């Protein structure tokens, strides 16, 4: 199964997603409704009850663009993903308990972004995939990773 996910396929999927977002933003920018682009909607949501979006963008930024060389959880590559899901769910339910008019302060947004960047950098880094997916020393891989 890993033979199917080549770097070229990942590149094409990424480009397709980016093109869809850009085209959608352009189309929404020229319609009759003001401030209804994807960017404006995400900013509105992240400044309100869905403030966990800021944390997730920080995690993705740290995961893709930063990164540590040594994994914290060794070959348990799935553990950081489960932790992100749990943290995001907790933040989501905290936000759902807030009133509709709730607005999060800018200082807390910065704190969420920096915390997400640190999590993506130290805990869920993409830089140590060679160590995690080394077939000779790792026994905790999914079945489709077996040689």
């Amino acid at each position: 199964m890993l033979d199917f996910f080549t770097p070229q396929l990942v590149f094409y999927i990424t480009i397709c997603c980016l093109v869809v977002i850009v085209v959608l933003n352009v189309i929404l920018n020229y319609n009759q409704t003001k401030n209804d682009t994807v960017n404006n909607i995400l900013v509105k949501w992240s400044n309100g009850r869905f403030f966990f979006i800021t944390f997730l963008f920080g995690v993705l930024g740290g995961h893709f663009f930063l990164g540590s060389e040594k994994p914290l959880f060794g070959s348990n590559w799935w553990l950081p993903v489960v932790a992100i899901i749990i943290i995001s769910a907790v933040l989501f339910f905290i936000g759902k308990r807030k009133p509709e008019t709730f607005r999060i302060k800018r200082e807390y947004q910065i704190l969420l972004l920096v915390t997400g960047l640190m999590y993506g950098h130290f805990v869920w880094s993409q830089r140590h995939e060679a160590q995690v997916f080394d077939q000779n020393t790792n026994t905790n891989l999914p079945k489709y990773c077996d040689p």
Side-chain angles (χ1 to χ4, degrees):
M1 176 125 177
L2 283 180
D3 296 336
F4 179 73
F5 291 108
T6 63
Q8 286 178 327
L9 178 66
V10 172
F11 174 77
Y12 291 136
I13 290 172
T14 305
I15 293 299
C16 288
C17 290
L18 289 174
V19 166
V20 166
I21 290 173
V22 168
V23 168
L24 187 61
N25 265 332
V26 169
I27 290 171
L28 290 173
N29 194 34
Y30 289 110
N31 67 6
Q32 299 298 325
T33 309
K34 289 287 187 192
N35 297 327
D36 69 338
T37 62
V38 175
N39 300 338
N40 289 334
I41 292 170
L42 278 175
V43 166
K44 181 181 170 188
W45 284 355
S46 65
N47 287 333
R49 292 173 32 182
F50 300 110
F51 57 86
F52 71 95
I53 294 173
T54 306
F55 173 74
L56 289 179
F57 274 114
V59 168
L60 291 176
H63 173 70
F64 289 122
F65 303 113
L66 300 174
S68 61
E69 294 293 326
K70 185 163 173 61
L72 287 179
F73 295 109
S75 62
N76 295 324
W77 59 270
W78 53 272
L79 198 56
V81 178
V82 171
I84 289 171
I85 292 169
I86 292 170
I87 293 169
S88 297
V90 167
L91 291 174
F92 173 77
F93 286 117
I94 289 172
K96 288 297 274 187
R97 296 185 70 202
K98 301 290 184 187
E100 287 284 333
T101 58
F102 172 74
R103 292 287 169 245
I104 191 164
K105 293 181 180 178
R106 185 176 306 264
E107 295 85 16
Y108 295 131
Q109 287 281 10
I110 293 170
L111 181 66
L112 283 168
L113 185 66
V114 169
T115 305
L117 280 169
M118 289 174 37
Y119 185 92
H121 173 70
F122 292 112
V123 179
W124 191 39
S125 176
Q126 198 174 34
R127 302 279 185 243
H128 52 69
E129 281 186 348
Q131 291 177 356
V132 172
F133 291 106
D134 182 10
Q135 297 292 331
N136 298 327
T137 61
N138 194 335
T139 59
N140 192 19
L141 289 173
K143 292 183 194 245
Y144 60 80
C145 292
D146 291 336

